[in-house]
Amino acid sequence: MVKDKRLLPCNKNVSKKILIKRLKELLPEIMKRTDSHMWIITGNEKHLDPIMPTLLPDDIDLGRLTIMVFCFHNGKFERHIIS
């Protein structure tokens, strides 16, 4: 099997860096463009929203009820996870 040298190795450090960049830069920009002031995602252990695993690092344990809130407060972008 020949490995493509252009591909990044899939490891937790690379994944976490990409996730952080997405949450700090991309998500706030998308919310501004779409004039969204708040985004709430809810789920419980048996019925997670499909987007939830793409917004959390692998080492976060999802509890019985998890609520994620992304919002602009006084012009500042904030992220909250309630579990």
Side-chain angles (χ1 to χ4, degrees):
M1 182 168 112
V2 178
K3 290 187 177 183
D4 189 341
K5 300 213 184 273
R6 295 173 294 168
L7 298 176
L8 288 173
C10 184
N11 66 44
K12 289 184 180 185
N13 290 336
V14 172
S15 297
K16 200 176 253 188
K17 286 179 184 179
I18 291 170
L19 174 63
I20 290 168
K21 185 171 182 159
R22 240 190 312 171
L23 293 177
K24 284 186 174 181
E25 298 175 20
L26 186 61
L27 183 58
E29 184 60 34
I30 290 170
M31 288 179 68
K32 283 181 189 175
R33 285 186 196 174
T34 59
D35 199 29
S36 300
H37 301 281
M38 184 176 289
W39 182 26
I40 300 172
I41 305 167
T42 63
N44 64 38
E45 63 185 338
K46 296 198 180 355
H47 298 79
L48 289 178
D49 187 297
I51 194 83
M52 206 170 278
T54 67
L55 297 171
L56 292 169
D58 292 339
D59 56 354
I60 296 286
D61 183 33
L62 298 174
R64 291 177 186 256
L65 173 66
T66 301
I67 301 169
M68 300 174 73
V69 179
F70 301 93
C71 62
F72 284 97
H73 184 256
N74 294 328
K76 182 181 173 192
F77 184 71
E78 297 181 3
R79 303 181 312 255
H80 304 278
I81 300 174
I82 304 159
S83 183

